[in-house]
Amino acid sequence: MTRPRPETHALSTGHEVAVPLETEAEATALVVTADAERVGERLPDGLSPVRVAPGRAAVTLLSVEYERLGDDAMAPYEEFGVLLAATPASGARVPELGVLGNGLGGYVATLPVTTEPARALGEEIWGYPKRVADVSITDRGGRRRTAVGDERGHALTLDAPCRPRIRWTVATESYTGDGSPERQPLRLAGAFGVRPFGGSYSLGRHPLAERLRDLSLGRVLCALAFDGRFVIGRGRPLSL
């Protein structure tokens, strides 16, 4: 299988990046349950929620610290994402632990980042719903704490174990867009960690926190950790 030829994109910030974009990143995530009907209402036509129990779907709260982007195309940055676990097929139920392989993919509902070049990168190339915000990541005693907010206040805090030890490669997809959704191929290769029912989260008083409350978030299914190479390819229409 041949690799796609890189395409160079010029951003409004003056940066140039090649796609597929190869990055080095550390990430932690919590996969939590949510109301399946409400998750389905947030998804565009063509996508269905991944169900983990009767009436319950999965949502990933994702924290990422990018250490390198391409050939140092721009400065490193931090990112937080809300990803709704979804499938292009009719939303069949899967075992609760069966959703873990897609914990780092899904429909991207929001993606706050810490720099303007990072916002332009995701929005202008892939259509990710990015905005500049405060994403503070701190490590202590094998755990990673992520606090997210902006001038409107504190949105949420994640606390997750951060001990990636198992070498693995994962291929998954993210989805963006409303009327004509697209899929972006993702490939992660490096050290992973999984802890069932590990980690915790708390919501603040912020518009993002209220949107998450509206999903009726529930218990943590698992905590994920990753440290390695993350590649994102060019987006394609969902129908292809």
Side-chain angles (χ1 to χ4, degrees), residues 197-217:
F197 314 116
S200 63
Y201 66 94
S202 61
L203 302 179
R205 294 296 174 185
H206 184 278
L208 173 57
E210 297 308 318
R211 293 198 298 272
L212 290 172
R213 285 192 179 91
D214 187 59
L215 294 176
S216 186
L217 298 186

Side-chain angles (χ1 to χ4, degrees), residues 56-70:
R56 302 297 287 175
V59 171
T60 298
L61 307 176
L62 174 66
S63 167
V64 186
E65 185 173 19
Y66 288 97
E67 300 169 339
R68 177 182 63 82
L69 292 105

